[in-house]
Amino acid sequence: MLKAVGLTLAGTLVPGIAAAGWAYWHLNGNIKSVDINSALGDDRPARALTTPSASASAAASASPRPSGALNILVLGSDSRSGKANQALGGGDSSGARSDTAMVVHIDAGRTRATVVSIPRDTLVTRPSCPLASGGSTAVAYGAMFNSAYSVGGPVCAVKTAESVTGVRMDHYIEIDFSGFAKLVDALGGVTVTTDEDIDDDDSHLHLKAGTHHLNGKQALALARTRHGIGDGSDLGRIGLQQNLVKALLERISTQNLLTDPAKLYEVADAVTDSLTTDTGLDSLTELMTLGKSLGGLEPADVRTVMMPVVTAPSDPNRVVAKEPAATTLWESLR
């Protein structure tokens, strides 16, 4: 997804100066942001150490590779209110939830990435979080991980993720699920393979086991489905979501976006219109810089895993981090 953002935006200047100027203004205006650093202050895990590249002094490269690792909290926010979202399989509830949470770790050379999914049903200690309206939330013990977003938005989501993992989140990216559907459609669909039949009335998805080319509405239903697979828990859905991310990366890698300005703009508009970031990534320039640094990262270089969990002793429908495996995983990303 990060590569999609960067590569699509990197080409917005292709169709002439006047058109590109308007495109830049429009796409830049699509992006929403939250000043997470100011809200959280210094009471956070330390940043990853940044060391000079071994070849930095050997040559003055025009575009040297970044030398520090990055950890980015990526949330899929699932708003189910409004006609558009209800048409995409939403219910009658209002507001938004962080139904998908992934920590994306990009290594210092930008040659490998690890995507760690955190189950939304994980019970955690949710720290006190500052509120935009003033004051703060109370510490909550045994709270579901995704409750952080519900009570305190992106700021609380980041603080809770950092509390659980001990890892500094250098950036925050939130992708609205309805925008995700538009992105898939802009790319001409995505091809996925399922190992079992999916029959989920809640997400409105009914698929036989096998390979399918999905449109945006179907891909979103796949990302949402949980009751039609496995034991109906969030853990089965995470496997589908990770396969979907890989399939999306494969689809992007096969598109000649930079040679098709109209398609490029359609994809870039879909990406930015669904995007909320921290203030360090809230402009096209910053997103392009990140995207260009990921130019050598191929789908095969992306590893997807799930935070190790076990059934919660207090509730068979919830999970808790499995130790020491979870701590070992997070330590490898610091």
Side-chain angles (χ1 to χ4, degrees):
M1 182 58 67
L2 297 176
K3 189 174 180 182
V5 171
L7 291 183
T8 56
L9 297 182
T12 55
L13 298 182
V14 172
I17 296 176
W22 181 89
Y24 185 97
W25 173 82
H26 175 75
L27 297 174
N28 204 63
N30 278 346
I31 304 167
K32 299 171 287 292
S33 68
V34 178
D35 192 350
I36 290 172
N37 287 337
S38 294
L40 294 184
D42 297 325
D43 185 20
R44 305 175 65 184
R47 294 183 184 276
L49 292 177
T50 300
T51 55
S53 171
S55 60
S57 59
S61 172
S63 55
R65 285 204 177 277
S67 55
L70 282 178
N71 290 297
I72 304 172
L73 179 63
V74 179
L75 294 187
S77 64
D78 190 7
S79 173
R80 304 209 172 195
S81 61
K83 293 182 179 179
N85 282 303
Q86 288 178 12
L88 289 169
D92 296 326
S93 59
S94 61
R97 305 167 301 181
S98 60
D99 270 6
T100 302
M102 299 179 178
V103 175
V104 179
H105 173 78
I106 306 168
D107 77 344
R110 305 298 193 266
T111 58
R112 294 186 304 276
T114 301
V115 179
V116 185
S117 294
I118 302 177
R120 51 165 280 178
D121 294 339
T122 304
L123 298 182
V124 302
T125 297
R126 191 182 68 225
S128 174
C129 300
L131 296 172
S133 58
S136 59
T137 65
V139 175
Y141 301 95
M144 282 177 56
F145 178 81
N146 75 333
S147 70
Y149 184 91
S150 299
V151 303
V155 170
C156 197
V158 169
K159 187 166 186 178
T160 302
E162 291 184 341
S163 176
V164 169
T165 66
V167 175
R168 173 72 170 243
M169 299 298 148
D170 300 291
H171 291 297
Y172 170 83
I173 293 179
E174 177 186 327
I175 303 169
D176 178 77
F177 273 14
S178 62
F180 169 78
K182 293 178 184 177
L183 171 61
V184 172
D185 282 335
L187 288 167
V190 63
T191 300
V192 299
T193 299
T194 61
D195 296 327
E196 58 182 299
D197 294 348
I198 298 175
D199 191 16
D200 189 350
D201 289 334
D202 289 343
S203 67
H204 307 288
L205 184 66
H206 304 277
L207 290 177
K208 294 294 185 182
T211 300
H212 305 272
H213 190 74
L214 307 181
N215 61 26
K217 183 176 181 178
Q218 293 169 320
L220 178 56
L222 184 67
R224 280 174 166 164
T225 195
R226 62 184 293 183
H227 300 295
I229 56 169
D231 60 1
S233 73
D234 191 47
L235 305 187
R237 173 165 59 179
I238 283 176
L240 290 177
Q241 290 175 345
Q242 290 179 339
N243 288 338
L244 187 57
V245 167
K246 287 186 174 181
L248 188 60
L249 289 174
E250 291 284 357
R251 180 67 176 174
I252 292 167
S253 69
T254 62
Q255 300 290 296
N256 296 317
L257 293 176
L258 297 182
T259 62
D260 188 344
K263 174 67 69 175
L264 175 63
Y265 179 80
E266 182 183 5
V267 173
D269 193 36
V271 170
T272 55
D273 194 43
S274 64
L275 209 60
T276 300
T277 72
D278 66 286
T279 50
L281 286 178
D282 64 353
S283 73
L284 293 185
T285 299
E286 289 160 335
L287 286 171
M288 284 190 291
T289 298
L290 174 62
K292 288 177 180 177
S293 77
L294 303 178
L297 190 64
E298 298 299 330
D301 302 322
V302 179
R303 179 173 67 112
T304 57
V305 298
M306 184 179 71
M307 181 181 79
V309 295
V310 294
T311 302
S314 61
D315 188 339
N317 296 315
R318 302 288 181 259
V319 296
V320 294
K322 180 181 180 180
E323 298 295 357
T327 295
T328 299
L329 172 62
W330 297 125
E331 287 178 345
S332 72
L333 306 186
R334 292 174 189 162

